[in-house]
Amino acid sequence: MGGGMSSATLFTEDPRNVSDSPALLQRLSGIQPVKLLVIGFAIVVLLALIAYPLALLIGYSLIDAQGNLAFDTFEKAFNRRGMWAATVNSTVLVGLVTAGACALGIPLAWIVARTDAPGKILVTLAAGISFVIPSFISVVSWIFLAAPNSGYLNKLAVEYLGFTQAPFNIMSFGGLVFIEIIGVYPLVFFAVSAALHNVDASNEQAARVLGAGRLRTTLTITLPLVRPAILSAIILVMLDALSSFGAPAAIGTMANFSVITTKIYDLLKFPPQFNYAAAVAMPIMVVTAVSLLIQKYAVRAENFRTLTGKASSEQITTLGRWRWLAAGFCIVVVFATAVLPVGALLLLSVLSSFGADITLSNLVTKHYALIFDADFVARGSIINSLLLALATATVCAGLGLVLGWVVERVKFIGREAITFLVMIAYGFPSIAYAVGILMGYVNLFYGTLTLILIAYAGKLLPIAFVLVRNGIQQLSTDLEEAARISGAGWLRSVRDVTFPLVRGAVGVAWVLVFSLSLRELSMSAILSQADTQVMPTVVIQFIEDGAIELAAALSVVIVTVSLSILGLIRFFSRKKTAVVS
Amino acid sequence: MNFYSPAAHILPAVEAQPARLELRDLRKKLGDTAAVNGIDLKVAPGESVVLLGPSGCGKTTTLRMVAGFLQPEGGEIHLDGKLASSASFALPPEKRHLGMVFQTYAVWPHKTVADNVGYGLVVAGKKRAEIDREVAAVLELVQLGDLAKRYPSELSGGQQQRVALARALATKPTLLLLDEPLSNLDASLRQEMRFELRALQKRIGITTLYVTHDQDEALVLADRVVVMNKGRIEQVGTPEQVYRTPASRFVGNFVGTANLLEGTIVTVDRAAGRVSVALDAGDITTARASAGWLATAAPGKRATLLLRPEDIRFDRPEKPDQQTGLDVRFVSAAFLGSRYELQLTAKDTPLRMQSRTPGSFTDGRVRLWFRPDSAWVVA
């Protein structure tokens, strides 16, 4: 082996040239400890964040106050006073909101995607704004506009339009339905208009060539093609309305009605009744699970038609004199969902007091001064919110990267389970999830921001996961394999190749999670204590205390920070070097 | 400049030099089908071996097992005489010291050409000056010297291909793997690159394992062609061997165009390695056959003869292998510039023929002659 010796000294980094290496040592070189450690850690965190609280929630709904197995918890929970009324309210709310969002969103999508109505761009902009503003902030705006007596629209109507009594009352069940509709209709609008944009013109042209008229083509070709998009959006809207908490809490308190989510919140007030809260959350969980299954099997089965075309000018319908009717509809929507609420919020935040005349002398900055006052609760909540958003976004982006990589790149049985678990967390109502977090971690992290961070991270992880996973999906495996062949280990190949190439997706995920963390209310309401208030809980507190001007000022802070951080997306989606093949 | 002094010096200079790559009874299932079903192969240092077969024959699976991206379920892979993969052990890809060119090129879009090519050297911990020198040398080798600072998106497909090749060569691997590297190029560039790759491989003497489904590519690039089908090796041989003396009907059909004529054996001449066969289509001809087949051949048994389209002629040779010439009927003809491509039938057997002349048919019929020594028994 004379020759072998010299080669071994020359190329010691090459294990194959270390002659006669023992079998065990050789076997060990096949193990990749860093990879196992990182992936294992991410999976443990995932289980702790999502699987554990959900298991607790289901478990608690099956026991009585003493911890014994009991199946009458549901019965007892729902026989509590007002519980059936709350259930009926929730059901009616879901039905009306879904119908309303479709009635608003589908025609708007068609007008924007397929007609020559003027002002189309404004509708998209308004829907975007409406989507960014959480419903508890809409409540602040609409109290200003349409509170029974002092709302400025009511005053306008009575004083100048000859109404004998105030025409609007936002502090009612109808008011709640209205606020929820303008909050969720963008889901329908964006989904359907994207689908309409993607229907290749040749599909419709083929029908026209065969003799179908414009209306017939729309009904028999276009609508069926976008039906999956409509169904998906409807399911999202239903789940959103069912699990909504902010607006029902704010309006329900004033108008004296409850829905299921506000009942859960009440059950957790001192003394907390975890088992009843868990039992009441069960129906929401079941509806959510069923909806997600419908979505997965029914809607996706129908969605085999991949829509990949580009709308062309040939698909634009000329409305003729109907054009102005469509434009009128658009303008009403733009005003009602964006201009009025945003204007109201800004105005209210600088008005000396709610109800004062709108004159220059009544405009003040004292509310903002108070918001940022060091001795006042709002300032602490701003800091808490920003810290939490920062931490949540970072945790979610990191976890999303590792889990997305695992699911896309490693073949093992558990990867379907990871996807399933993450998507469960996505569809899961926040309020129920927060109950699970409370039960699982209250002893460890009572009254700390960590408790809220756990909840935020678990609930928002799906958004980061889906975005980053899509990014990884678009990367050819070859790119990473080329790095491995070049001698880079797993971690290094991820650092040098995978991460730089999905940096855009990770960045967008970070920004979105940050922005969503800032406006999270339902979980914060349950989990925050005196020292761990966040901006949304303080807004709700201001509303309940009647300090509506302060609520407006703090809401402006939330919306401003959210919008400016969302502006970073442009930065992340800018192509730096090349299109990935 | 001699960029590539192949890693000969790292190999023990002993008499029995180990094969650079050895596959022993390699097996792998993908889903329920046996993608690779027992493969034995040795690749000698400096040799260029091409795995050729239709899609799904297991050639890419084999290559990916050699690279270390897939683990075999049975058998072993040895690199330079050391175990690299078995059912219970897999050396990670980064520890195999290989070079690989991917079908999609896999050139990293966020790195410049120079950074792509130098990556393996950076990972190996080489000094900056040395990396720069080696990158420049290997870029020179693939004629990309002036594009070092460009990003891949600014390059053509052919140039990206060269970057991928340079990157694979930069670390001076002991074995270069190529996975259908030319299949994404357009036809004319593909033909040009074939010859260039072959010249490069010969010049630097690197051991190469090349996967393709393109028979022309295989014939140009290979010292030895390994024809695969359904997870097994059908034949291993030089390009001439697999083309002229295919071991099976499959090989005959897959490598080039095959006319298969059935017949009954009349006489067997084992000493000369020939048989004479009475063709079902008429005429009696002699044909070469492998020793293994001849061992069991006997008059009265059936035989299948392979004839390449270019070995069939209108003119009777001086010493024909046939008695009367094969009587065929005209079906169709196409003019392809350098030749005519004719479709004929002999009784019911379809026949394809390449000819410099369109031929003169009487009542649509003509007699054909085989180039002497060209008929070959495939089974």
Side-chain angles (χ1 to χ4, degrees), chain B residues 44-247:
Chain B
E47 195 182 17
S48 169
V49 170
V50 174
L51 301 181
L52 172 67
S55 61
C57 73
K59 55 190 192 300
T60 295
T61 307
T62 304
L63 191 81
R64 292 176 61 77
M65 283 195 278
V66 173
F69 297 130
L70 288 176
Q71 191 170 3
E73 275 143 21
E76 291 177 351
I77 297 172
H78 293 257
L79 289 165
D80 290 327
K82 297 272 188 317
L83 179 70
S85 291
S86 71
S88 59
F89 168 72
L91 193 67
E94 64 268 23
K95 295 185 178 164
R96 298 187 177 209
H97 201 66
L98 304 171
M100 183 161 174
V101 179
F102 294 82
Q103 187 174 1
T104 57
Y105 318 141
V107 174
W108 299 308
H110 61 300
K111 290 179 186 286
T112 61
V113 167
D115 288 343
N116 262 284
V117 173
Y119 183 76
L121 301 169
V122 173
V123 170
K126 295 266 163 56
K127 290 206 174 62
R128 192 71 242 174
E130 191 183 348
I131 293 171
D132 291 344
R133 204 168 53 239
E134 304 229 338
V135 167
V138 73
L139 282 178
E140 207 56 49
L141 192 71
V142 298
Q143 300 159 31
L144 281 182
D146 43 350
L147 298 180
K149 294 283 168 266
R150 299 273 187 93
Y151 280 97
S153 58
E154 302 166 299
L155 304 182
S156 69
Q159 288 169 328
Q160 292 192 27
Q161 175 70 65
R162 286 163 197 267
V163 175
L165 183 63
R167 182 177 67 189
L169 292 174
T171 52
K172 301 186 181 172
T174 55
L175 174 65
L176 179 63
L177 308 175
L178 299 107
D179 182 10
E180 308 226 12
L182 305 183
S183 61
N184 284 354
L185 299 178
D186 61 55
S188 63
L189 191 56
R190 190 157 62 222
Q191 295 207 352
E192 193 187 314
M193 281 298 287
R194 265 176 215 159
F195 290 102
E196 211 173 293
L197 270 180
R198 178 58 169 168
L200 188 71
Q201 194 267 331
K202 280 285 158 209
R203 191 159 83 239
I204 63 183
I206 187 171
T207 318
T208 306
L209 185 64
Y210 191 107
V211 160
T212 184
H213 64 269
D214 182 326
Q215 39 138 343
D216 293 338
E217 213 168 289
L219 297 181
V220 171
L221 282 156
D223 291 324
R224 283 192 300 153
V225 179
V226 177
V227 184
M228 291 180 66
N229 184 32
K230 294 179 181 165
R232 291 178 182 277
I233 293 179
E234 292 266 340
Q235 186 175 7
V236 182
T238 63
E240 289 86 349
Q241 284 169 343
V242 295
Y243 187 78
R244 298 208 175 117
T245 60

Side-chain angles (χ1 to χ4, degrees), chain B residues 348-370:
Chain B
D348 291 330
T349 311
L351 212 61
R352 289 176 70 177
M353 170 184 180
Q354 285 174 8
S355 169
R356 298 288 300 272
T357 62
S360 53
F361 292 82
T362 325
D363 291 339
R365 307 195 77 89
V366 78
R367 281 188 186 276
L368 295 181
W369 299 90
F370 308 148

Side-chain angles (χ1 to χ4, degrees), chain A residues 534-546:
Chain A
V534 291
M535 287 193 278
T537 60
V538 174
V539 169
I540 286 290
Q541 199 188 316
F542 283 153
I543 296 175
E544 286 176 359
D545 295 349

Side-chain angles (χ1 to χ4, degrees), chain A residues 27 42 74 96 102 119 125 173 199 212 215 297 324 327 337 369 389 419 435 498 512 531:
Chain A
R27 300 233 149 176
F74 289 101
L96 290 177
C102 287
L125 196 68
F173 192 75
V199 173
L215 181 67
Y297 292 105
W324 298 107
T337 67
T419 313
V435 174
T498 318
L512 269 183
D531 287 342

Side-chain angles (χ1 to χ4, degrees), chain A residues 242-325:
Chain A
L242 182 63
S243 60
S244 64
F245 173 75
I251 294 179
T253 317
M254 295 180 280
N256 201 19
F257 66 84
S258 293
V259 295
I260 294 183
T261 50
T262 53
K263 276 287 177 195
I264 293 175
Y265 180 70
D266 291 341
L267 283 168
L268 292 171
K269 282 181 185 159
F270 195 80
Q273 291 164 295
F274 285 140
N275 56 335
Y276 284 150
V280 174
M282 273 303 136
I284 303 186
M285 286 175 66
V286 171
V287 171
T288 305
V290 170
S291 303
L292 288 181
L293 285 178
I294 291 174
Q295 160 113 348
K296 186 172 165 106
Y297 292 105
V299 178
R300 280 193 201 153
E302 197 177 60
N303 209 4
F304 58 88
R305 302 164 283 228
T306 40
L307 307 173
T308 52
K310 262 266 169 1
S312 64
S313 55
E314 297 159 43
Q315 285 168 292
I316 299 297
T317 303
T318 316
L319 288 178
R321 56 205 162 92
W322 296 103
R323 215 168 154 235
W324 298 107
L325 186 70

